[in-house]
C-alpha cells in the first residue's frame, strides 16, 4: 500500500493506494495516526483502495477513535461501492462522515 | 511501567519445523486463537495417536504446509502449538488425525482426510449460497481465523422478561431473498438490518433465527421433481458443520470472510431497536450423516466420543438424519457448553431454541436420563444465566416430553399441545373447551410448577403449514419435495374452509381471513410466550407444502408484495401485538389462580359462555369466554384494565351476555374479527353499546377492554 500525505490550507489529505489488510494496516496506522491531532482536519482519499480486510476495518475504527479522542475531524472520500457495502454490512460505516469525492469533501469541510 | 509495556516472556519461538517457528501452545481456549506474533492451535481427541496441522493459502487446492504436533506439544489428549508469523488473514487450517480404523469398536481415523476444527470460529470454502462445490476439493469446509474484538457500543443482551416477549420465527435467507424485498444484498444478515423498521412496526421484540451455524445447503441435494435445472437443497439448515461459526453464505461479506462482524453488527442493531435474538441450535446431530456420509470433522477427529454408536459401531439415529451427537458424553457436553457460552458472550445472543431437545436428555446409548447432566449444566451455567433456554421437547426416536422435559426451573418448551388443541378449536372440533382453557392460561396442566413462561405458544412454525395454509388446505401437498407426498406430518389439524387451495370464492376467502385473525387474536391474549412464523402476519402460503425443508424458492421466500396485498391482516396483527404490550394483565409470570387474592371482588380469571359466569364446558361446546381482572395484573402488583375475550368457534352468531364491571367502568371494543373494523388502535377503543350483551359472529373472536 502506498500512502501520500499532503496538506492544503487546514486540511490534511491522505491518499491510500492498494489493499488495506493485515499486512498493510500497521504501516497505515503508523502514518495516519500522527495526523489525527487536536483540531486537525484529516481526509482519507479511499478511491484507490481496492480491498479492505477485517484488519483494515479495525484500523479504520482505530483511526476514528484516535480522532475522536484528540478532537480531530476525520472524513472519508471516494469509497467504492464495494468498500462502502463491506463497511456498512459489518457495522463499521456508521462511524464516519463519508463524501463521494475528495472535491465534495473539500467543499464541505470548508476549503 | 504499565502492564502494556511489559512484554510477555512467552512470545518467542522454541522450535522450528521446515522453516516455521513454533512453541508449545496453550490447551485453552480450544480452537485457533490469535496471540502476539502468531496463532495458538489447540485441538483434542481421546483416541487419536498423532495430529498434524494443515495450512492452506486461502482458496488454494493444495496445502502449503503440514506441521506435525511434536510430542512435547501434547498435554493430556490435547494438541496445542503456537505457529509464528502466519499471514492470519489469508490462511485456512485443518488437521489430520492418526489413529485406528476399526468401526466395530467405534474408530474411524483416516489420515488421508483433512478435518475441520470443531471449534473453528469461521469457516470458509462455501462462501456464497448455492454455488455448487467442487466435489474434488480435498478440503471443503476450511477453518479460518477471526478477530474476536468488536465495537459493541455498550450493547448487552436485552433481558426482556420472558412473559413480555413476542417471538418471530424467521429464516435468514427466506426473509429477504425474494426479489420483492428491495434490499441490496438479498438473503443475508445485512439485509435483515435493512428490514428492522418492518419488525419494529410489527411490534415483535424477539426474532428466532432458524439455524445459522455453518451448514451445507447441498447436503442431500437432488433434482427438483419437475422443474428442470432446479435443485432441492438443504434450505432449513438443520445439519451442522461447525457449531462455532456463522454460516458464511448468510453474510453479504461472506466471500470476504467477514461473516462474524456482519452477524455481530446485526445483533447490535436489533438490540438497539429493542429486538432480542434467539438462535435455533441443533445439537442432536451433525452434517456427517451415517457411515455412508462425508467425513468433515467429528467423525475423523474422535468418532467414538462425538457420536452415539450401537454396540457394533453403527450410528444410532434418534434424530432421523443418520447420526446422533453424543451429548451426554462429558467431552461433548463441554463442547456444547463452550459453544453456547461463546455465542452468549461473543455475539450477545439472548437465548437458544434447542432442536429435538429430548435427545439431549439421552445417555450415550440412547436411554432417557432422569437427571440429564447436559440440561442441568446449561440450566445452572453462570454465563447463560439470563439466556432464554427453549426446548423442542421431543425427538425423532419417539421421546415426547412436552410438560415433562427436565426443566430445572429454567427451560421453556415449544408447547406442541397448545398448537394442536388450539388448531382443533379453531377449526371447530368439539370436546376441547377444558383443554383450551388450559392453553389460554399458559397450560398450568402441563407446567404447574414452572409458570406460564415455560410455554411457548404457537399455531404455526417453520415445521408444518403456514397459517394461511392451515386455513386453506385439509391435506398436505408436498409433491415438490420429491417423495410422492409421503414426507411431512399428517396431523396438521387444518381446515380448508370449504375449498382445497386457492379460490376466487369471496366467502371462503373472507372466512380464511377471519380464521387467521382468530388465530392471532387467541395467540396474543394467551398467557405464556407467543411465537409466530415469519410471513404469517401477511398470509404467506407454501401452497399446502407442510415440510419445505428443501425448497429454496418462492415456497419459502417471503413475498413482500403481501405487505400491501394483505395489509388488512398485517394491521390487525400489529394491533393485537400492541394490545398485548399495552396490557400487563395478559402477561403474568405466575399462573393464574382462578380466585380473588387482592380483594377486587373478581377472581384473576373468570370463565363465561353465552351466559355471563356460566362457561359451557360440555363436550359439544365450541365457545369459551374469559375475563381477566385488571387488579390482578402481574400477580396483583400492577393495575391494568379488565379484559374480556369471547371465542365463538361455532358456525353461527351467538349472543354473549357480558360480565358486569366494577362501578363506573365500561366495556370498550378492541377487536372483533367478525366485524369491520376488525380492531382499534390500543387506547382508542370505542365504548361498547349495549354494555350487557354482545352478538359474536360465527367463527369470530371478540376482545373487550374494561375501564372508566
Amino acid at each position: 500500500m502506498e500512502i501520500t500525505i499532503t496538506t492544503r490550507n487546514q486540511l490534511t489529505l491522505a491518499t491510500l493506494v492498494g489493499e488495506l489488510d493485515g499486512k498493510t494496516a500497521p504501516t497505515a496506522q503508523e502514518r495516519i495516526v500522527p495526523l489525527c491531532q487536536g483540531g486537525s482536519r484529516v481526509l482519507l482519499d479511499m478511491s484507490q483502495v481496492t480491498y479492505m480486510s477485517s484488519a483494515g476495518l479495525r484500523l479504520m475504527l482505530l483511526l476514528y477513535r484516535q480522532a475522536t479522542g484528540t478532537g480531530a475531524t476525520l472524513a472519508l472520500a471516494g469509497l467504492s461501492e464495494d468498500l462502502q457495502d463491506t463497511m456498512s454490512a459489518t457495522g463499521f460505516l456508521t462511524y464516519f462522515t463519508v463524501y463521494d469525492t475528495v472535491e465534495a469533501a473539500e467543499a464541505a469541510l470548508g476549503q | 511501567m504499565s502492564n502494556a509495556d511489559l512484554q510477555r516472556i512467552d512470545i518467542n519461538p522454541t522450535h522450528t519445523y521446515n522453516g516455521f517457528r513454533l512453541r508449545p501452545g496453550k490447551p485453552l481456549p480450544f480452537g485457533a486463537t490469535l496471540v502476539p506474533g502468531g496463532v495458538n492451535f489447540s485441538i483434542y481427541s481421546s483416541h487419536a495417536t498423532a495430529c498434524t496441522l494443515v495450512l492452506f493459502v486461502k482458496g488454494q487446492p493444495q496445502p502449503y504446509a503440514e506441521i506435525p504436533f511434536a510430542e512435547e506439544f501434547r498435554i493430556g489428549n490435547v494438541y496445542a502449538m503456537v505457529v509464528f508469523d502466519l499471514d492470519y488473514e489469508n490462511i485456512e487450517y485443518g488437521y489430520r488425525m492418526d489413529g485406528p480404523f476399526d468401526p466395530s469398536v467405534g474408530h474411524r481415523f483416516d489420515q488421508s482426510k483433512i478435518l475441520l476444527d470443531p471449534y473453528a470460529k469461521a469457516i470458509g470454502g462455501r462462501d456464497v449460497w448455492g454455488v455448487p462445490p467442487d466435489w474434488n476439493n480435498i478440503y471443503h469446509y476450511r477453518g479460518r481465523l477471526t478477530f474476536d474484538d468488536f465495537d459493541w457500543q455498550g450493547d448487552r443482551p436485552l433481558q426482556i422478561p420472558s412473559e413480555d416477549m413476542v417471538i418471530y420465527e424467521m429464516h435468514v435467507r427466506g426473509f429477504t431473498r425474494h426479489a420483492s424485498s428491495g434490499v441490496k444484498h438479498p438473503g443475508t444478515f445485512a439485509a435483515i438490518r435493512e428490514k428492522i423498521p418492518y419488525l419494529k412496526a410489527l411490534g415483535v421484540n424477539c426474532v428466532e433465527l432458524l439455524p445459522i451455524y455453518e451448514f451445507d445447503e447441498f447436503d442431500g441435494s437432488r433434482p427438483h421433481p419437475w422443474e428442470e435445472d432446479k435443485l432441492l437443497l438443504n434450505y432449513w439448515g438443520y445439519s451442522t458443520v461447525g457449531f462455532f461459526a456463522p454460516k458464511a453464505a448468510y453474510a453479504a461479506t461472506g466471500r470476504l470472510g467477514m461473516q462474524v462482524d456482519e452477524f455481530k453488527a446485526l445483533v447490535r442493531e436489533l438490540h438497539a431497536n429493542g429486538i432480542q435474538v434467539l438462535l435455533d441450535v441443533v445439537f442432536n446431530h451433525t452434517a456427517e450423516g451415517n457411515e455412508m456420509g462425508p467425513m468433515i470433522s467429528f467423525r475423523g477427529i474422535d468418532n467414538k466420543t462425538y457420536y452415539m454408536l450401537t454396540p457394533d459401531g453403527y450410528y444410532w439415529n434418534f434424530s432421523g438424519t443418520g447420526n446422533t451427537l453424543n451429548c451426554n458424553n462429558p467431552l461433548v457436553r463441554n463442547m456444547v457448553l463452550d459453544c453456547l457460552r461463546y455465542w452468549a458472550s461473543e455475539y450477545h445472543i439472548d437465548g437458544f431454541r434447542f432442536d429435538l431437545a429430548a435427545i439431549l436428555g439421552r445417555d450415550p446409548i440412547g436411554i432417557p436420563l432422569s437427571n440429564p447432566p447436559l440440561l442441568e449444566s446449561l440450566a445452572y451455567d453462570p454465563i447463560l444465566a439470563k439466556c432464554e433456554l427453549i426446548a423442542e421437547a421431543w425427538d425423532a426416536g419417539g421421546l415426547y416430553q412436552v410438560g415433562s422435559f427436565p426443566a430445572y426451573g429454567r427451560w421453556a418448551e415449544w408447547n406442541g399441545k397448545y398448537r394442536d388443541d388450539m388448531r382443533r378449536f379453531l377449526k371447530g372440533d368439539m370436546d376441547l373447551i377444558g383443554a383450551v382453557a388450559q392453553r389460554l392460561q399458559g397450560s398450568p396442566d402441563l407446567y404447574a410448577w414452572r409458570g406460564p413462561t415455560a410455554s411457548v405458544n404457537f399455531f404455526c412454525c417453520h415445521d408444518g403449514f403456514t397459517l394461511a395454509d392451515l386455513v386453506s388446505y385439509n391435506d398436505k401437498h408436498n409433491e415438490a419435495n420429491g417423495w410422492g407426498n409421503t414426507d411431512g406430518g399428517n396431523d396438521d389439524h387444518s381446515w380448508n374452509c370449504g375449498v382445497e387451495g386457492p379460490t376466487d370464492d369471496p366467502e371462503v376467502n373472507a372466512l380464511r381471513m377471519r380464521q387467521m385473525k382468530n388465530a392471532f387474536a387467541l395467540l396474543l391474549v394467551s398467557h405464556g410466550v407467543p411465537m409466530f412464523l415469519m410471513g404469517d402476519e401477511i398470509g404467506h402460503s407454501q401452497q399446502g407444502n407442510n415440510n419445505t425443508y428443501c425448497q429454496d424458492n418462492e415456497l419459502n421466500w417471503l413475498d413482500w408484495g403481501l405487505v400491501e396485498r394483505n395489509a388488512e391482516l398485517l394491521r390487525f396483527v400489529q394491533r393485537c401485538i400492541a394490545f398485548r404490550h399495552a396490557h400487563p394483565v395478559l402477561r403474568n409470570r405466575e399462573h393464574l389462580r382462578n380466585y380473588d387474592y387482592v380483594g377486587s371482588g373478581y377472581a384473576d380469571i373468570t370463565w363465561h359462555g353465552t351466559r355471563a359466569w356460566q362457561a359451557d364446558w360440555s363436550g359439544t361446546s365450541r365457545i369459551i369466554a374469559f375475563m381477566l381482572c385488571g387488579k390482578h395484573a402481574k400477580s396483583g402488583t400492577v393495575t391494568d384494565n379488565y379484559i374480556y375475550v369471547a371465542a365463538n368457534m361455532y358456525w353461527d352468531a351467538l349472543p354473549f351476555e357480558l360480565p358486569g364491571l366494577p362501578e363506573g367502568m365500561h366495556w370498550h371494543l378492541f377487536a372483533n374479527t367478525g366485524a369491520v373494523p376488525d380492531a382499534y388502535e390500543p387506547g382508542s377503543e370505542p365504548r361498547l353499546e349495549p354494555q350487557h350483551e354482545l352478538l359474536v359472529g360465527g367463527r369470530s373472536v371478540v376482545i373487550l377492554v374494561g375501564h372508566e
Side-chain angles (χ1 to χ4, degrees):
Chain A
M1 161 156 280
E2 280 175 47
I3 300 171
T4 320
I5 295 162
T6 56
T7 304
R8 268 188 285 179
N9 302 325
Q10 305 296 311
L11 186 68
T12 307
L13 176 68
T15 306
L16 289 70
V17 181
E19 299 189 344
L20 192 54
D21 60 16
K23 279 176 285 194
T24 58
T27 317
Q29 179 178 341
E30 219 166 86
R31 299 283 309 278
I32 300 169
V33 165
L35 309 178
C36 301
Q37 296 308 322
S40 67
R41 282 183 290 177
V42 181
L43 178 64
L44 305 185
D45 177 1
M46 308 291 287
S47 58
Q48 294 166 85
V49 176
T50 50
Y51 168 72
M52 196 188 292
S53 74
S54 297
L57 291 172
R58 280 160 175 75
L59 169 68
M60 298 305 292
L61 181 56
L62 185 142
L63 294 176
Y64 164 80
R65 291 238 173 88
Q66 173 75 20
T68 335
T70 58
T73 304
L74 178 71
L76 311 182
L79 284 168
S80 70
E81 190 179 345
D82 253 10
L83 232 52
Q84 195 147 339
D85 280 358
T86 302
M87 292 183 71
S88 164
T90 50
F92 283 82
L93 192 61
T94 49
Y95 303 97
F96 299 99
T97 310
V98 176
Y99 299 97
D100 287 347
T101 60
V102 169
E103 292 69 35
E106 284 177 340
L109 294 171
Q111 291 305 305
Chain B
M1 188 158 88
S2 75
N3 270 355
D5 300 327
L6 186 60
Q7 214 177 50
R8 293 181 62 102
I9 58 172
D10 63 355
I11 58 166
N12 297 312
T14 55
H15 294 57
T16 57
Y17 177 86
N18 280 355
F20 285 93
R21 304 192 305 149
L22 316 171
R23 66 173 291 123
K26 286 179 184 292
L28 291 174
F30 299 125
T33 311
L34 299 177
V35 296
V39 180
N40 186 73
F41 293 94
S42 170
I43 184 167
Y44 57 85
S45 170
S46 302
H47 303 98
T49 53
C51 177
T52 301
L53 173 70
V54 184
L55 297 173
F56 291 79
V57 172
K58 202 179 259 190
Q60 291 301 303
Q62 295 298 326
Y64 76 94
E66 303 215 9
I67 308 172
F69 284 81
E71 187 53 34
E72 60 266 38
F73 295 170
R74 180 174 176 170
I75 299 173
N77 289 330
V78 185
Y79 302 88
M81 140 174 97
V82 174
V83 183
F84 290 87
D85 310 321
L86 291 174
D87 182 4
Y88 55 86
E89 286 198 300
N90 290 308
I91 64 163
E92 293 162 335
Y93 74 101
Y95 296 102
R96 292 187 199 275
M97 286 285 175
D98 208 356
F101 181 86
D102 186 354
S104 66
V105 295
H107 299 317
R108 290 174 183 271
F109 289 101
D110 179 352
Q111 222 203 353
S112 74
K113 296 285 198 295
I114 303 169
L115 305 163
L116 174 68
D117 178 3
Y119 280 76
K121 307 295 192 299
I123 297 173
R126 297 287 190 84
D127 305 340
V128 180
W129 176 280
V131 174
D134 170 7
W135 299 108
N136 296 318
N137 192 334
I138 58 168
Y139 184 38
H140 281 264
Y141 297 96
R142 301 179 167 205
R144 282 190 184 163
L145 303 164
T146 63
F147 291 95
D148 58 7
D149 56 345
F150 188 73
D151 185 30
W152 281 103
Q153 302 173 350
D155 174 72
R156 60 195 289 253
L158 297 179
Q159 296 181 23
I160 295 174
S162 314
E163 63 273 23
D164 295 343
M165 299 192 319
V166 178
I167 303 175
Y168 190 68
E169 195 202 23
M170 60 191 281
H171 187 280
V172 170
R173 179 168 167 82
F175 192 53
T176 60
R177 176 56 187 82
H178 198 280
S180 60
S181 71
V183 297
K184 182 140 192 202
H185 301 285
T188 63
F189 298 131
I192 295 176
R193 253 171 72 204
E194 283 189 57
K195 292 292 188 185
I196 288 176
Y198 174 81
L199 296 172
K200 276 197 86 163
L202 180 57
V204 295
N205 57 14
C206 194
V207 293
E208 180 173 312
L209 306 178
L210 263 72
I212 61 127
Y213 296 173
E214 185 63 55
F215 66 87
D216 179 8
E217 66 269 25
F218 284 94
D219 186 1
S221 67
R222 58 214 152 88
H224 190 283
W226 60 80
E227 288 194 44
E228 267 180 59
D229 305 328
K230 290 218 171 140
L231 282 179
L232 299 178
L233 295 177
N234 169 28
Y235 169 84
W236 281 350
Y238 286 89
S239 62
T240 309
V241 166
F243 293 102
F244 292 77
K247 183 161 179 58
Y250 278 173
T253 58
R255 68 198 157 77
L256 304 170
M258 295 180 185
Q259 56 268 30
V260 172
D261 282 337
E262 184 171 326
F263 186 51
K264 286 178 179 175
L266 170 61
V267 175
R268 185 177 71 189
E269 193 80 5
L270 284 166
H271 281 176
N273 285 280
I275 299 172
Q276 298 195 129
V277 182
L278 307 186
L279 299 185
D280 189 338
V281 294
V282 191
F283 290 111
N284 53 72
H285 70 284
T286 75
E288 293 187 309
N290 62 12
E291 59 278 0
M292 310 297 288
M295 188 179 278
I296 299 170
S297 173
F298 311 97
R299 171 172 297 152
I301 288 168
D302 206 352
N303 188 56
K304 194 172 180 170
T305 294
Y306 285 109
Y307 292 114
M308 288 192 195
L309 300 174
T310 64
D312 46 355
Y314 289 98
Y315 293 87
W316 284 115
N317 186 14
F318 297 114
S319 65
T321 58
N323 65 48
T324 309
L325 200 67
N326 193 7
C327 274
N328 280 308
N329 172 294
L331 293 182
V332 185
R333 199 193 312 154
N334 282 347
M335 183 191 73
V336 172
L337 193 57
D338 287 346
C339 169
L340 295 173
R341 286 173 160 183
Y342 175 71
W343 288 94
S345 57
E346 290 296 316
Y347 283 88
H348 294 196
I349 295 302
D350 301 273
F352 304 92
R353 176 266 186 189
F354 296 74
D355 182 61
L356 301 184
I359 286 182
L360 310 187
R362 290 181 185 264
D363 78 0
I365 57 167
I367 298 170
L369 294 156
S370 59
N371 195 28
L374 173 59
L375 300 180
E376 187 181 35
S377 302
L378 298 179
Y380 291 102
D381 187 74
I383 294 175
L384 304 177
K386 307 293 184 199
C387 284
E388 297 290 337
L389 301 176
I390 301 170
E392 185 187 36
W394 53 86
D395 69 21
L399 193 55
Y400 190 81
Q401 297 183 310
V402 170
S404 63
F405 189 81
Y408 305 98
R410 279 281 278 124
W411 285 80
E413 293 171 16
W414 270 24
N415 187 344
K417 290 186 179 167
Y418 182 96
R419 175 195 59 205
D420 297 344
D421 290 340
M422 296 304 284
R423 283 179 171 197
R424 293 179 58 209
F425 177 61
L426 183 70
K427 78 195 205 21
D429 283 2
M430 296 191 292
D431 276 327
L432 278 168
I433 301 303
V436 167
Q438 295 291 324
R439 303 301 151 250
L440 291 167
Q441 293 182 81
S443 296
D445 58 334
L446 301 175
Y447 309 115
W449 311 110
R450 295 159 61 184
T453 55
S455 176
V456 175
N457 300 328
F458 62 105
F459 277 78
C460 299
C461 63
H462 70 278
D463 193 0
F465 278 141
T466 66
L467 184 59
D469 288 353
L470 187 73
V471 300
S472 304
Y473 293 91
N474 285 348
D475 301 301
K476 65 182 180 186
H477 297 271
N478 295 1
E479 289 78 10
N481 298 347
W483 305 113
N485 207 29
T486 56
D487 61 310
N490 296 307
D491 46 1
D492 288 297
H493 306 299
S494 62
W495 176 50
N496 65 17
C497 295
V499 179
E500 188 76 353
T503 175
D504 294 332
D505 186 324
E507 272 187 43
V508 171
N509 284 328
L511 177 55
R512 287 175 178 172
M513 175 61 79
R514 203 159 73 238
Q515 289 284 70
M516 290 192 281
K517 289 177 185 172
N518 290 340
F520 270 110
L522 291 170
L523 177 70
L524 289 160
V525 296
S526 294
H527 269 78
V529 182
M531 177 182 82
F532 61 97
L533 174 63
M534 147 192 130
D536 277 355
E537 76 281 12
I538 46 176
H540 173 74
S541 167
Q542 293 167 181
Q543 298 173 28
N545 192 320
N546 77 353
N547 189 31
T548 55
Y549 73 103
C550 55
Q551 302 292 341
D552 180 33
N553 51 45
E554 283 78 5
L555 286 188
N556 275 317
W557 300 345
L558 193 59
D559 176 357
W560 287 83
L562 291 168
V563 170
E564 254 179 50
R565 298 201 296 280
N566 275 331
E568 176 188 338
L569 180 61
L570 176 59
R571 195 190 52 229
F572 181 80
V573 176
Q574 285 169 332
R575 287 185 174 170
C576 285
I577 294 173
F579 186 77
R580 183 176 182 86
H581 289 318
H583 290 291
V585 75
L586 296 167
R587 295 178 274 119
N588 281 297
R589 191 170 181 81
E590 286 152 21
H591 279 308
L592 299 163
R593 303 181 204 172
N594 285 262
Y595 65 87
D596 173 16
Y597 57 89
V598 299
S600 65
Y602 293 82
D604 50 2
I605 185 166
T606 49
W607 301 96
H608 311 274
T610 50
R611 303 280 308 276
W613 310 102
Q614 290 180 26
D616 179 359
W617 303 107
S618 70
T620 55
S621 170
R622 293 184 178 92
I623 61 165
I624 192 156
F626 64 91
M627 177 168 68
L628 296 168
C629 165
K631 292 215 163 66
H632 285 84
K634 297 270 179 190
S635 303
T637 60
V638 171
T639 299
D640 191 5
N641 301 150
Y642 286 60
I643 286 175
Y644 172 84
V645 178
N648 175 19
M649 294 299 117
Y650 182 62
W651 51 80
D652 260 343
L654 293 170
F656 281 65
E657 184 192 2
L658 299 177
L661 285 164
E663 189 65 33
M665 288 195 186
H666 302 91
W667 287 119
H668 299 71
L669 179 67
F670 164 62
N672 183 350
T673 63
V676 180
D678 51 17
Y680 292 87
E681 201 71 60
S684 67
E685 297 93 348
R687 187 165 149 172
L688 189 73
E689 289 303 340
Q691 281 281 305
H692 67 283
E693 192 180 75
L694 175 72
L695 190 67
V696 179
R699 303 189 195 277
S700 297
V701 174
V702 169
I703 302 171
L704 306 180
V705 55
H707 54 77
E708 280 168 13

